[in-house]
Amino acid sequence: MALPLPDVLFEISGQGLSPDKDFYHLAITKSYVTWRWWKISLRHDGRNTKPGELKQSHQDYLDDDQLQSQVSMVFGNRIRQYTLALCQGHYDYLERLPDPLLLRILAHLELEDVRQLGRTSRRFWKLCGSEAFWQQTVRRCCDTISPEVSALAMDVGWRSIFFTSKLQVQKQISRWRQRAKQQEEEEEEEEEGVVCCPEAKGKGLLPQTEPPGEDLETGSKPCC
């Protein structure tokens, strides 16, 4: 069964190329092509110019070389070719699929095919480089993913995990463990109010049991 098409098949807006400062909007629905423009001018006689609109059927647009030329000048020939394909009934159903379904399709492709697909449109470029794609790729290639690898991927990204050798991943996990342990120890020290005594350097940390000031028994100053 074909995927149902939305009412608006395509739309794009933008400003004309210099020296043209006018603003344009192109919308293609299942029945019509609508071309709108707004005059942008600093001159007084152009400030009261009303926006323009041209609405045509798909067939009229296919026969209108002048409008096609305007679309090409403002948005480029690639957009012009795409609008012609839409008006001829060549719909890109793959582009309209939801991301979870597209990710399932990508799971069956080779990485070189995924790289080529990512060049076809901005949406596929973002999807083929997304964390969701690289996470499913790593999980598909590995039998098991340890919690430590998952935690490391949160820092460096799943793509980095995929292209890193197992030995390098183990080294990164080791460094990640050390940082986590050090951070945990620092948090515990802050909670317990532990301060470092200069005279006890290299011997560990001494708990501060008295507030700064004179020692109550000896009358001497504390070392820290």
Side-chain angles (χ1 to χ4, degrees), residues 67-83:
L67 180 55
Q68 293 179 31
S69 177
Q70 285 184 281
V71 171
S72 181
M73 289 178 59
V74 177
F75 299 114
N77 189 59
R78 185 179 65 86
I79 295 297
R80 171 181 170 272
Q81 294 294 335
Y82 183 66
T83 59

Side-chain angles (χ1 to χ4, degrees), residues 26-64:
L26 174 66
I28 300 180
T29 66
K30 289 184 288 187
S31 302
Y32 296 100
V33 175
T34 304
W35 176 254
R36 299 185 180 94
W37 63 93
W38 290 261
K39 186 72 175 178
I40 308 297
S41 175
L42 298 178
R43 298 178 57 180
H44 181 75
D45 56 355
R47 294 179 180 178
N48 297 324
T49 304
K50 296 182 179 180
E53 178 178 299
L54 177 63
K55 192 173 184 179
Q56 297 180 337
S57 66
H58 287 183
Q59 186 59 51
D60 289 340
Y61 176 71
L62 293 173
D63 297 334
D64 194 337

Side-chain angles (χ1 to χ4, degrees), residues 98-203:
D99 285 353
L101 185 55
L102 286 175
L103 286 172
R104 294 183 63 180
I105 295 175
L106 294 180
H108 298 279
L109 300 180
E110 299 293 336
L111 284 182
E112 177 61 26
D113 297 328
V114 173
R115 187 176 69 88
Q116 295 294 338
L117 180 62
R119 295 179 174 181
T120 60
S121 71
R122 182 176 296 273
R123 185 191 177 194
F124 281 124
W125 176 77
K126 293 177 62 177
L127 186 64
C128 294
S130 66
E131 280 294 285
F133 167 74
W134 286 110
Q135 180 179 3
Q136 81 168 14
T137 302
V138 172
R139 294 188 180 280
R140 189 178 75 250
C141 296
C142 302
D143 296 332
T144 57
I145 302 295
S146 68
E148 291 175 330
V149 172
S150 298
L152 180 62
M154 296 294 292
D155 290 339
V156 302
W158 286 100
R159 185 179 187 276
S160 178
I161 296 294
F162 180 83
F163 286 107
T164 304
S165 66
K166 291 184 178 180
L167 179 60
Q168 291 298 324
V169 169
Q170 291 301 321
K171 290 181 178 180
Q172 292 187 35
I173 289 177
S174 179
R175 290 193 293 266
W176 177 80
R177 286 175 181 168
Q178 294 177 0
R179 289 197 303 268
K181 183 178 180 180
Q182 182 180 1
Q183 183 178 1
E184 183 179 351
E185 291 175 351
E186 291 175 353
E187 292 176 353
E188 290 178 355
E189 291 172 3
E190 292 178 359
E191 293 177 357
E192 297 175 0
V194 178
V195 295
C196 180
C197 179
E199 295 181 0
K201 186 176 181 181
K203 298 181 181 180

